[in-house]
């Protein structure tokens, strides 16, 4: 026996499932498609097995216009399972915190960004019960910061630029600018940023260039990642003392930038760069290597 109006109001549709679609069509005038079959399912949504659901980063933002939950998801490739998990995250978080959730997806791939930016619409065409519209950060909208002064004005944004654009022809200028900008912030924060970028660089040449750039920064030698770089240097017979090693690494970086950009390096240029031990001079050549079209431009006005 039905004991409450609450029960009656929904159990009538268990008795006649087709009534629900007729009500949608004739009462609400919603163009719900005519069903071929309707089956009643178990209404118990309790998960017997514990299911781990975890977002990548969750931030609570207090603003003058209200409190928001910023749900940040790092996405490497398209994953259609997110059509279910992202709406679940947002609904659960709203129910738990009673704050408006905002989904933000960050990716290094333009194709993934395009996929992630498509709204997730649950329901039927013309009447969606739930729509999720992610905000997407990726190579197509994160600015390319390849200017040292611009990088210094907003180092975290420059880090994001390096993380999303850290491959391709513009990577040398981005990494060089960021390396200089890191000197303007405290060493502990810079060390964390160094790790972030090192982890995100998938291009082997870009990663090698980044590590070579970092050897020229004093604090870097106190960071755990520096031990890895030093160990690699010992294996290659390149570490011959701190100062000499810094000069050698800087010289190698100058040559790597030219080679990475497809500029042939004559033996005379290579010998002159490798013979230099003046870090300031090597720094100047490194900046020129990022924009040079001919290797002799390294020595302009000298």
């Amino acid at each position: 026996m039905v004991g409450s109006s609450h029960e009656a109001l929904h159990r009538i549709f268990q008795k006649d499932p087709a009534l629900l679609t007729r009500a949608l069509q004739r009462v609400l005038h919603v163009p719900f498609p005519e069903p071929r079959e309707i089956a009643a399912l178990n209404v118990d949504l309790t998960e017997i097995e514990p299911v781990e659901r975890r977002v990548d980063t969750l931030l609570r933002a207090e603003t003058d216009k209200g409190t928001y939950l910023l749900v940040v998801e790092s996405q490497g490739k398209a994953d259609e399972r997110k059509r279910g998990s992202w709406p679940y995250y947002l609904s659960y978080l709203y129910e738990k915190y009673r704050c408006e959730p905002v989904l933000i997806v960050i990716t290094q791939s333009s194709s993934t960004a395009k996929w992630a930016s498509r709204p997730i619409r649950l329901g039927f065409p013309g009447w969606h019960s739930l729509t999720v519209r992610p905000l997407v950060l990726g190579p197509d909208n994160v600015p390319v910061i390849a200017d040292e002064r611009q990088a210094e004005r907003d180092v975290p944004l420059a880090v994001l630029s390096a993380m999303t654009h850290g491959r391709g022809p513009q990577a040398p200028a981005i990494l060089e600018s960021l390396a200089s900008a890191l000197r303007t912030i405290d060493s502990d924060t810079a060390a964390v940023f160094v790790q972030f970028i090192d982890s995100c660089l998938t291009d082997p040449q870009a990663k090698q260039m980044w590590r070579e750039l970092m050897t020229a920064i004093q604090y870097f030698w106190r960071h755990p990642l520096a031990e890895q770089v030093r160990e690699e240097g010992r294996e290659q017979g390149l570490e011959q003392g701190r100062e000499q090693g810094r000069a050698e690494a800087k010289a190698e970086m100058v040559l790597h930038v030219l080679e990475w950009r497809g500029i042939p390096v004559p033996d005379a240029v290579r010998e002159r760069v490798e013979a230099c031990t003046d870090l300031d001079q090597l720094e100047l050549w490194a900046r020129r290597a990022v924009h040079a079209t001919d290797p002799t431009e390294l020595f302009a006005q000298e």
Side-chain angles (χ1 to χ4, degrees):
M1 180 175 179
V2 178
S4 71
S5 60
H6 169 81
E7 289 289 311
L9 284 170
H10 69 82
R11 285 182 60 177
I12 188 173
F13 298 116
Q14 295 178 17
K15 181 68 175 177
D16 184 359
L19 175 61
L20 181 57
T21 59
R22 294 198 301 274
L24 291 175
Q25 296 167 345
R26 302 175 188 177
V27 178
L28 297 180
H29 305 290
V30 173
F32 191 91
E34 193 68 32
R36 291 193 299 269
E37 181 181 357
I38 300 179
L41 302 178
N42 191 335
V43 299
D44 187 358
L45 303 183
T46 303
E47 295 175 340
I48 299 176
E49 295 291 334
V51 177
E52 181 178 353
R53 299 185 185 274
R54 188 185 302 272
V55 298
D56 292 331
T57 293
L58 180 62
L59 305 173
R60 182 187 181 108
E62 301 281 354
T63 74
D64 293 338
K65 296 184 178 180
T67 302
Y68 297 92
L69 297 175
L70 305 182
V71 184
V72 184
E73 285 280 275
S74 176
Q75 194 68 26
K77 60 182 180 180
D79 183 354
E80 289 304 316
R81 292 176 299 178
K82 296 298 185 181
R83 288 180 55 83
S85 59
W86 283 345
Y88 172 88
Y89 294 161
L90 301 182
S91 298
Y92 173 82
L93 289 169
Y94 179 77
E95 177 64 21
K96 181 176 181 179
Y97 295 101
R98 291 294 169 175
C99 298
E100 299 291 345
V102 179
L103 175 61
I104 303 165
V105 179
I106 181 168
T107 180
Q108 295 176 293
S109 166
S110 293
S111 60
T112 302
K114 184 177 180 180
W115 165 81
S117 64
R118 294 201 299 264
I120 300 172
R121 297 187 175 95
L122 305 182
F124 62 94
W127 194 275
H128 302 114
S129 300
L130 176 64
T131 300
V132 175
R133 299 179 60 193
L135 297 171
V136 182
L137 294 172
D140 296 329
N141 56 13
V142 173
V144 174
I145 299 181
D147 176 77
E148 180 181 339
R149 297 291 174 259
Q150 188 180 1
E152 290 177 357
R153 285 194 294 270
D154 193 337
V155 176
L157 183 60
V159 172
L160 182 62
S161 177
M163 292 165 68
T164 52
H165 299 286
R167 55 188 175 187
Q170 49 198 356
I174 294 172
L175 297 178
E176 173 74 17
S177 298
L178 178 58
S180 297
L182 287 176
R183 295 188 178 96
T184 66
I185 64 176
D186 69 275
S187 60
D188 290 339
T189 300
V192 174
F193 288 159
V194 168
Q195 283 278 51
F196 285 170
I197 297 165
D198 190 81
S199 298
C200 284
L201 293 175
T202 57
D203 186 314
Q205 289 182 309
K207 185 183 287 286
Q208 181 62 27
M209 176 187 174
W210 178 244
R211 292 184 173 183
E212 290 169 350
L213 280 168
M214 291 300 95
T215 60
I217 300 180
Q218 184 74 23
Y219 77 82
F220 184 69
W221 291 96
R222 303 195 304 271
H223 195 275
L225 183 59
E227 181 58 34
Q228 181 180 349
V229 175
R230 287 199 297 272
E231 184 61 31
E232 292 173 358
R234 281 193 290 270
E235 293 172 359
Q236 300 171 12
L238 295 177
E239 184 159 297
Q240 302 174 8
R242 178 176 297 183
E243 290 300 320
Q244 183 178 353
R246 290 173 64 194
E248 289 179 354
K250 196 70 172 179
E252 285 297 313
M253 186 269 292
V254 173
L255 299 174
H256 275 314
V257 171
L258 291 173
E259 291 168 352
W260 190 15
R261 297 181 61 229
I263 300 175
V265 181
D267 290 342
V269 172
R270 182 179 300 276
E271 291 171 2
R272 181 171 176 180
V273 172
E274 291 178 342
C276 182
T277 59
D278 185 334
L279 287 174
D280 290 337
Q281 181 65 70
L282 288 168
E283 176 73 20
L284 176 60
W285 289 348
R287 294 175 187 278
R288 291 176 178 173
V290 172
H291 305 286
T293 57
D294 185 278
T296 59
E297 293 178 18
L298 295 181
F299 318 124
Q301 300 177 353
E302 295 179 12

